[in-house]
Amino acid sequence: MEIKHKLKIKELIEFIIGCLFVALAFNLFMSPNNLVAGGVSGFSLVLKHFFGLNPSTIISIANILLIILSFLVLGKEKTKMTILGSILFPIFVSLTEHLSTYISFKESEMILIAVFGGVLQGLGAGLIFRAGYSTGGTDILNMIVSKIFKISLGNSMFFTDGLIIVIGAFVFGFNHLMYSLIILYLISTITDKVVLGISDSKAFYIITSKEKEVKDFIINKLQHGVTVFNAKGGYNLEKQDVLMCVIPTREYYRLKEGIKEIDENAFFVVTDSYEVEGGA
């Protein structure tokens, strides 16, 4: 219980730091330069431009609506993890919105602003997702897309935020679009690195009662090989097979969700694989 309590505290600290990083990226780099890098915060810049609305107010309202959508699609448990972020993130945006008055990067090259803003926001988003939380907003849409299409959260961010970036391009100019795409790519990449690790491959060790179906999915759908180990349970001493396969990190979510769909009671362990040699 004490270990579980410490993990909860660690995750909460990661989540809070992540929210702060994303808010700082928005107020120091995105907002002062009208860089729409997707998300509700990006869309708030468009509404601010036309109606002069406060971004933190827009984010709060949008989060309430998206929490309802999360409850309907992702369920109660997932939604619970978005509520805290939906409240905390707008608060951090409001608390840090005047920082650009004291810390200004207006003299810096736009490419540097885009790079540092993208890295900071990607780092923050990665910490939030790794802790199992969300800031609400389009993070909810990202999780829905990730679940439905079995892609990583970083790739789903690239997909769902694209429309908002295009809207921003028509409002602030296509020159801003180029920098926004750089930011979105960096956010997507850094988020995946923080959540999934820096290795290019993942090794899955799977114990399932539906061994044939899982093997077929890996071999025929994902086009990867599988090795079967003979093992024995440490408690009940029952013999059982362990499936082992190594896949590219980019396919992590496809295999993870595929296993869950085939056998929701499957047990699997995932480790980083830093070097893979041989094989087909």
PDB file of all heavy atoms in Angstrom, residues 21-49:
ATOM      1  N   PHE A  21       4.232  23.077 -17.654  1.00  0.00           N
ATOM      2  CA  PHE A  21       5.051  23.186 -18.868  1.00  0.00           C
ATOM      3  C   PHE A  21       4.193  23.568 -20.083  1.00  0.00           C
ATOM      4  O   PHE A  21       4.586  24.415 -20.889  1.00  0.00           O
ATOM      5  CB  PHE A  21       5.776  21.862 -19.139  1.00  0.00           C
ATOM      6  CG  PHE A  21       7.001  21.643 -18.300  1.00  0.00           C
ATOM      7  CD1 PHE A  21       7.419  22.583 -17.375  1.00  0.00           C
ATOM      8  CD2 PHE A  21       7.736  20.472 -18.417  1.00  0.00           C
ATOM      9  CE1 PHE A  21       8.548  22.383 -16.592  1.00  0.00           C
ATOM     10  CE2 PHE A  21       8.867  20.250 -17.646  1.00  0.00           C
ATOM     11  CZ  PHE A  21       9.268  21.210 -16.731  1.00  0.00           C
ATOM     12  N   VAL A  22       3.038  22.916 -20.217  1.00  0.00           N
ATOM     13  CA  VAL A  22       2.163  23.204 -21.361  1.00  0.00           C
ATOM     14  C   VAL A  22       1.639  24.638 -21.288  1.00  0.00           C
ATOM     15  O   VAL A  22       1.570  25.338 -22.307  1.00  0.00           O
ATOM     16  CB  VAL A  22       0.992  22.194 -21.422  1.00  0.00           C
ATOM     17  CG1 VAL A  22       0.027  22.563 -22.543  1.00  0.00           C
ATOM     18  CG2 VAL A  22       1.512  20.778 -21.635  1.00  0.00           C
ATOM     19  N   ALA A  23       1.270  25.088 -20.095  1.00  0.00           N
ATOM     20  CA  ALA A  23       0.794  26.470 -19.922  1.00  0.00           C
ATOM     21  C   ALA A  23       1.897  27.472 -20.233  1.00  0.00           C
ATOM     22  O   ALA A  23       1.650  28.504 -20.876  1.00  0.00           O
ATOM     23  CB  ALA A  23       0.285  26.668 -18.492  1.00  0.00           C
ATOM     24  N   LEU A  24       3.128  27.176 -19.801  1.00  0.00           N
ATOM     25  CA  LEU A  24       4.264  28.064 -20.082  1.00  0.00           C
ATOM     26  C   LEU A  24       4.560  28.120 -21.577  1.00  0.00           C
ATOM     27  O   LEU A  24       4.824  29.192 -22.119  1.00  0.00           O
ATOM     28  CB  LEU A  24       5.505  27.588 -19.323  1.00  0.00           C
ATOM     29  CG  LEU A  24       5.517  27.829 -17.808  1.00  0.00           C
ATOM     30  CD1 LEU A  24       6.722  27.146 -17.168  1.00  0.00           C
ATOM     31  CD2 LEU A  24       5.528  29.320 -17.491  1.00  0.00           C
ATOM     32  N   ALA A  25       4.497  26.956 -22.243  1.00  0.00           N
ATOM     33  CA  ALA A  25       4.721  26.920 -23.689  1.00  0.00           C
ATOM     34  C   ALA A  25       3.695  27.783 -24.409  1.00  0.00           C
ATOM     35  O   ALA A  25       4.023  28.523 -25.347  1.00  0.00           O
ATOM     36  CB  ALA A  25       4.661  25.480 -24.190  1.00  0.00           C
ATOM     37  N   PHE A  26       2.453  27.697 -23.957  1.00  0.00           N
ATOM     38  CA  PHE A  26       1.382  28.476 -24.584  1.00  0.00           C
ATOM     39  C   PHE A  26       1.582  29.979 -24.379  1.00  0.00           C
ATOM     40  O   PHE A  26       1.531  30.758 -25.338  1.00  0.00           O
ATOM     41  CB  PHE A  26       0.028  28.041 -24.021  1.00  0.00           C
ATOM     42  CG  PHE A  26      -1.127  28.845 -24.534  1.00  0.00           C
ATOM     43  CD1 PHE A  26      -1.569  28.692 -25.842  1.00  0.00           C
ATOM     44  CD2 PHE A  26      -1.784  29.761 -23.723  1.00  0.00           C
ATOM     45  CE1 PHE A  26      -2.632  29.448 -26.336  1.00  0.00           C
ATOM     46  CE2 PHE A  26      -2.845  30.505 -24.191  1.00  0.00           C
ATOM     47  CZ  PHE A  26      -3.280  30.351 -25.509  1.00  0.00           C
ATOM     48  N   ASN A  27       1.834  30.389 -23.136  1.00  0.00           N
ATOM     49  CA  ASN A  27       1.894  31.824 -22.829  1.00  0.00           C
ATOM     50  C   ASN A  27       3.213  32.494 -23.197  1.00  0.00           C
ATOM     51  O   ASN A  27       3.245  33.711 -23.432  1.00  0.00           O
ATOM     52  CB  ASN A  27       1.601  32.051 -21.345  1.00  0.00           C
ATOM     53  CG  ASN A  27       0.107  32.000 -21.037  1.00  0.00           C
ATOM     54  OD1 ASN A  27      -0.706  32.506 -21.807  1.00  0.00           O
ATOM     55  ND2 ASN A  27      -0.253  31.378 -19.929  1.00  0.00           N
ATOM     56  N   LEU A  28       4.300  31.719 -23.246  1.00  0.00           N
ATOM     57  CA  LEU A  28       5.599  32.312 -23.576  1.00  0.00           C
ATOM     58  C   LEU A  28       5.920  32.253 -25.067  1.00  0.00           C
ATOM     59  O   LEU A  28       6.577  33.142 -25.601  1.00  0.00           O
ATOM     60  CB  LEU A  28       6.716  31.612 -22.796  1.00  0.00           C
ATOM     61  CG  LEU A  28       6.756  31.845 -21.286  1.00  0.00           C
ATOM     62  CD1 LEU A  28       7.897  31.054 -20.665  1.00  0.00           C
ATOM     63  CD2 LEU A  28       6.921  33.335 -20.969  1.00  0.00           C
ATOM     64  N   PHE A  29       5.453  31.207 -25.744  1.00  0.00           N
ATOM     65  CA  PHE A  29       5.844  31.006 -27.138  1.00  0.00           C
ATOM     66  C   PHE A  29       4.674  31.081 -28.124  1.00  0.00           C
ATOM     67  O   PHE A  29       4.793  31.730 -29.165  1.00  0.00           O
ATOM     68  CB  PHE A  29       6.545  29.644 -27.284  1.00  0.00           C
ATOM     69  CG  PHE A  29       7.803  29.519 -26.471  1.00  0.00           C
ATOM     70  CD1 PHE A  29       7.811  28.824 -25.270  1.00  0.00           C
ATOM     71  CD2 PHE A  29       8.989  30.110 -26.910  1.00  0.00           C
ATOM     72  CE1 PHE A  29       8.975  28.709 -24.525  1.00  0.00           C
ATOM     73  CE2 PHE A  29      10.157  30.002 -26.171  1.00  0.00           C
ATOM     74  CZ  PHE A  29      10.156  29.307 -24.973  1.00  0.00           C
ATOM     75  N   MET A  30       3.560  30.428 -27.820  1.00  0.00           N
ATOM     76  CA  MET A  30       2.453  30.342 -28.788  1.00  0.00           C
ATOM     77  C   MET A  30       1.626  31.627 -28.845  1.00  0.00           C
ATOM     78  O   MET A  30       1.482  32.249 -29.891  1.00  0.00           O
ATOM     79  CB  MET A  30       1.545  29.144 -28.467  1.00  0.00           C
ATOM     80  CG  MET A  30       2.253  27.856 -28.122  1.00  0.00           C
ATOM     81  SD  MET A  30       3.408  27.280 -29.381  1.00  0.00           S
ATOM     82  CE  MET A  30       3.956  25.755 -28.608  1.00  0.00           C
ATOM     83  N   SER A  31       1.085  32.007 -27.709  1.00  0.00           N
ATOM     84  CA  SER A  31       0.158  33.139 -27.671  1.00  0.00           C
ATOM     85  C   SER A  31       0.759  34.460 -28.144  1.00  0.00           C
ATOM     86  O   SER A  31       0.145  35.151 -28.967  1.00  0.00           O
ATOM     87  CB  SER A  31      -0.421  33.286 -26.255  1.00  0.00           C
ATOM     88  OG  SER A  31      -1.378  34.319 -26.214  1.00  0.00           O
ATOM     89  N   PRO A  32       1.961  34.845 -27.686  1.00  0.00           N
ATOM     90  CA  PRO A  32       2.511  36.139 -28.122  1.00  0.00           C
ATOM     91  C   PRO A  32       2.789  36.202 -29.618  1.00  0.00           C
ATOM     92  O   PRO A  32       2.864  37.289 -30.198  1.00  0.00           O
ATOM     93  CB  PRO A  32       3.819  36.259 -27.320  1.00  0.00           C
ATOM     94  CG  PRO A  32       3.658  35.334 -26.180  1.00  0.00           C
ATOM     95  CD  PRO A  32       2.831  34.199 -26.693  1.00  0.00           C
ATOM     96  N   ASN A  33       2.943  35.033 -30.252  1.00  0.00           N
ATOM     97  CA  ASN A  33       3.304  34.995 -31.673  1.00  0.00           C
ATOM     98  C   ASN A  33       2.187  34.437 -32.550  1.00  0.00           C
ATOM     99  O   ASN A  33       2.405  34.174 -33.739  1.00  0.00           O
ATOM    100  CB  ASN A  33       4.570  34.150 -31.852  1.00  0.00           C
ATOM    101  CG  ASN A  33       5.757  34.727 -31.110  1.00  0.00           C
ATOM    102  OD1 ASN A  33       6.352  35.701 -31.546  1.00  0.00           O
ATOM    103  ND2 ASN A  33       6.095  34.129 -29.976  1.00  0.00           N
ATOM    104  N   ASN A  34       0.992  34.256 -31.962  1.00  0.00           N
ATOM    105  CA  ASN A  34      -0.168  33.733 -32.694  1.00  0.00           C
ATOM    106  C   ASN A  34       0.162  32.437 -33.431  1.00  0.00           C
ATOM    107  O   ASN A  34      -0.220  32.230 -34.584  1.00  0.00           O
ATOM    108  CB  ASN A  34      -0.695  34.779 -33.688  1.00  0.00           C
ATOM    109  CG  ASN A  34      -1.348  35.950 -32.982  1.00  0.00           C
ATOM    110  OD1 ASN A  34      -2.009  35.785 -31.960  1.00  0.00           O
ATOM    111  ND2 ASN A  34      -1.146  37.145 -33.513  1.00  0.00           N
ATOM    112  N   LEU A  35       0.858  31.542 -32.731  1.00  0.00           N
ATOM    113  CA  LEU A  35       1.187  30.237 -33.293  1.00  0.00           C
ATOM    114  C   LEU A  35       0.135  29.223 -32.844  1.00  0.00           C
ATOM    115  O   LEU A  35       0.078  28.856 -31.678  1.00  0.00           O
ATOM    116  CB  LEU A  35       2.577  29.794 -32.834  1.00  0.00           C
ATOM    117  CG  LEU A  35       3.745  30.615 -33.401  1.00  0.00           C
ATOM    118  CD1 LEU A  35       5.056  30.210 -32.740  1.00  0.00           C
ATOM    119  CD2 LEU A  35       3.841  30.453 -34.917  1.00  0.00           C
ATOM    120  N   VAL A  36      -0.704  28.829 -33.784  1.00  0.00           N
ATOM    121  CA  VAL A  36      -1.792  27.893 -33.483  1.00  0.00           C
ATOM    122  C   VAL A  36      -1.282  26.477 -33.699  1.00  0.00           C
ATOM    123  O   VAL A  36      -1.222  25.993 -34.823  1.00  0.00           O
ATOM    124  CB  VAL A  36      -3.023  28.177 -34.368  1.00  0.00           C
ATOM    125  CG1 VAL A  36      -4.135  27.180 -34.061  1.00  0.00           C
ATOM    126  CG2 VAL A  36      -3.505  29.602 -34.155  1.00  0.00           C
ATOM    127  N   ALA A  37      -0.909  25.813 -32.600  1.00  0.00           N
ATOM    128  CA  ALA A  37      -0.351  24.459 -32.689  1.00  0.00           C
ATOM    129  C   ALA A  37      -1.391  23.424 -32.290  1.00  0.00           C
ATOM    130  O   ALA A  37      -1.084  22.423 -31.652  1.00  0.00           O
ATOM    131  CB  ALA A  37       0.886  24.353 -31.816  1.00  0.00           C
ATOM    132  N   GLY A  38      -2.623  23.668 -32.656  1.00  0.00           N
ATOM    133  CA  GLY A  38      -3.681  22.717 -32.356  1.00  0.00           C
ATOM    134  C   GLY A  38      -4.204  22.860 -30.942  1.00  0.00           C
ATOM    135  O   GLY A  38      -3.810  23.755 -30.189  1.00  0.00           O
ATOM    136  N   GLY A  39      -5.116  21.966 -30.588  1.00  0.00           N
ATOM    137  CA  GLY A  39      -5.672  21.969 -29.245  1.00  0.00           C
ATOM    138  C   GLY A  39      -6.676  23.080 -29.014  1.00  0.00           C
ATOM    139  O   GLY A  39      -6.812  24.016 -29.809  1.00  0.00           O
ATOM    140  N   VAL A  40      -7.369  22.973 -27.892  1.00  0.00           N
ATOM    141  CA  VAL A  40      -8.317  24.017 -27.505  1.00  0.00           C
ATOM    142  C   VAL A  40      -7.588  25.334 -27.267  1.00  0.00           C
ATOM    143  O   VAL A  40      -8.096  26.401 -27.579  1.00  0.00           O
ATOM    144  CB  VAL A  40      -9.098  23.584 -26.241  1.00  0.00           C
ATOM    145  CG1 VAL A  40      -9.930  24.736 -25.698  1.00  0.00           C
ATOM    146  CG2 VAL A  40      -9.996  22.400 -26.556  1.00  0.00           C
ATOM    147  N   SER A  41      -6.366  25.261 -26.726  1.00  0.00           N
ATOM    148  CA  SER A  41      -5.596  26.483 -26.491  1.00  0.00           C
ATOM    149  C   SER A  41      -5.278  27.182 -27.812  1.00  0.00           C
ATOM    150  O   SER A  41      -5.314  28.419 -27.894  1.00  0.00           O
ATOM    151  CB  SER A  41      -4.298  26.160 -25.738  1.00  0.00           C
ATOM    152  OG  SER A  41      -3.527  25.204 -26.437  1.00  0.00           O
ATOM    153  N   GLY A  42      -4.972  26.398 -28.850  1.00  0.00           N
ATOM    154  CA  GLY A  42      -4.728  26.992 -30.165  1.00  0.00           C
ATOM    155  C   GLY A  42      -5.981  27.633 -30.731  1.00  0.00           C
ATOM    156  O   GLY A  42      -5.941  28.744 -31.274  1.00  0.00           O
ATOM    157  N   PHE A  43      -7.111  26.939 -30.578  1.00  0.00           N
ATOM    158  CA  PHE A  43      -8.367  27.486 -31.077  1.00  0.00           C
ATOM    159  C   PHE A  43      -8.768  28.741 -30.304  1.00  0.00           C
ATOM    160  O   PHE A  43      -9.408  29.643 -30.850  1.00  0.00           O
ATOM    161  CB  PHE A  43      -9.469  26.433 -30.976  1.00  0.00           C
ATOM    162  CG  PHE A  43     -10.725  26.799 -31.714  1.00  0.00           C
ATOM    163  CD1 PHE A  43     -10.721  26.956 -33.083  1.00  0.00           C
ATOM    164  CD2 PHE A  43     -11.920  26.994 -31.023  1.00  0.00           C
ATOM    165  CE1 PHE A  43     -11.877  27.296 -33.767  1.00  0.00           C
ATOM    166  CE2 PHE A  43     -13.069  27.342 -31.698  1.00  0.00           C
ATOM    167  CZ  PHE A  43     -13.059  27.489 -33.071  1.00  0.00           C
ATOM    168  N   SER A  44      -8.349  28.815 -29.036  1.00  0.00           N
ATOM    169  CA  SER A  44      -8.667  29.998 -28.231  1.00  0.00           C
ATOM    170  C   SER A  44      -7.990  31.252 -28.790  1.00  0.00           C
ATOM    171  O   SER A  44      -8.500  32.357 -28.625  1.00  0.00           O
ATOM    172  CB  SER A  44      -8.249  29.780 -26.770  1.00  0.00           C
ATOM    173  OG  SER A  44      -6.843  29.804 -26.622  1.00  0.00           O
ATOM    174  N   LEU A  45      -6.832  31.073 -29.453  1.00  0.00           N
ATOM    175  CA  LEU A  45      -6.152  32.220 -30.067  1.00  0.00           C
ATOM    176  C   LEU A  45      -6.964  32.780 -31.236  1.00  0.00           C
ATOM    177  O   LEU A  45      -6.990  33.992 -31.470  1.00  0.00           O
ATOM    178  CB  LEU A  45      -4.756  31.812 -30.553  1.00  0.00           C
ATOM    179  CG  LEU A  45      -3.740  31.415 -29.479  1.00  0.00           C
ATOM    180  CD1 LEU A  45      -2.421  31.013 -30.127  1.00  0.00           C
ATOM    181  CD2 LEU A  45      -3.523  32.566 -28.500  1.00  0.00           C
ATOM    182  N   VAL A  46      -7.624  31.866 -31.969  1.00  0.00           N
ATOM    183  CA  VAL A  46      -8.477  32.299 -33.085  1.00  0.00           C
ATOM    184  C   VAL A  46      -9.660  33.101 -32.554  1.00  0.00           C
ATOM    185  O   VAL A  46      -9.985  34.182 -33.064  1.00  0.00           O
ATOM    186  CB  VAL A  46      -8.975  31.073 -33.886  1.00  0.00           C
ATOM    187  CG1 VAL A  46      -9.956  31.510 -34.973  1.00  0.00           C
ATOM    188  CG2 VAL A  46      -7.800  30.321 -34.496  1.00  0.00           C
ATOM    189  N   LEU A  47     -10.320  32.602 -31.498  1.00  0.00           N
ATOM    190  CA  LEU A  47     -11.467  33.303 -30.920  1.00  0.00           C
ATOM    191  C   LEU A  47     -11.044  34.612 -30.251  1.00  0.00           C
ATOM    192  O   LEU A  47     -11.778  35.603 -30.289  1.00  0.00           O
ATOM    193  CB  LEU A  47     -12.176  32.399 -29.907  1.00  0.00           C
ATOM    194  CG  LEU A  47     -12.801  31.122 -30.477  1.00  0.00           C
ATOM    195  CD1 LEU A  47     -13.522  30.350 -29.384  1.00  0.00           C
ATOM    196  CD2 LEU A  47     -13.779  31.457 -31.603  1.00  0.00           C
ATOM    197  N   LYS A  48      -9.853  34.612 -29.672  1.00  0.00           N
ATOM    198  CA  LYS A  48      -9.329  35.847 -29.075  1.00  0.00           C
ATOM    199  C   LYS A  48      -9.115  36.904 -30.152  1.00  0.00           C
ATOM    200  O   LYS A  48      -9.401  38.095 -29.951  1.00  0.00           O
ATOM    201  CB  LYS A  48      -8.017  35.551 -28.353  1.00  0.00           C
ATOM    202  CG  LYS A  48      -7.364  36.785 -27.724  1.00  0.00           C
ATOM    203  CD  LYS A  48      -6.010  36.436 -27.117  1.00  0.00           C
ATOM    204  CE  LYS A  48      -5.323  37.683 -26.583  1.00  0.00           C
ATOM    205  NZ  LYS A  48      -3.965  37.384 -26.055  1.00  0.00           N
ATOM    206  N   HIS A  49      -8.632  36.472 -31.314  1.00  0.00           N
ATOM    207  CA  HIS A  49      -8.375  37.390 -32.423  1.00  0.00           C
ATOM    208  C   HIS A  49      -9.664  38.049 -32.909  1.00  0.00           C
ATOM    209  O   HIS A  49      -9.690  39.259 -33.192  1.00  0.00           O
ATOM    210  CB  HIS A  49      -7.716  36.626 -33.577  1.00  0.00           C
ATOM    211  CG  HIS A  49      -7.508  37.431 -34.822  1.00  0.00           C
ATOM    212  ND1 HIS A  49      -6.494  38.361 -34.957  1.00  0.00           N
ATOM    213  CD2 HIS A  49      -8.204  37.458 -35.995  1.00  0.00           C
ATOM    214  CE1 HIS A  49      -6.556  38.909 -36.150  1.00  0.00           C
ATOM    215  NE2 HIS A  49      -7.591  38.381 -36.803  1.00  0.00           N
TER     216      HIS A  49
END
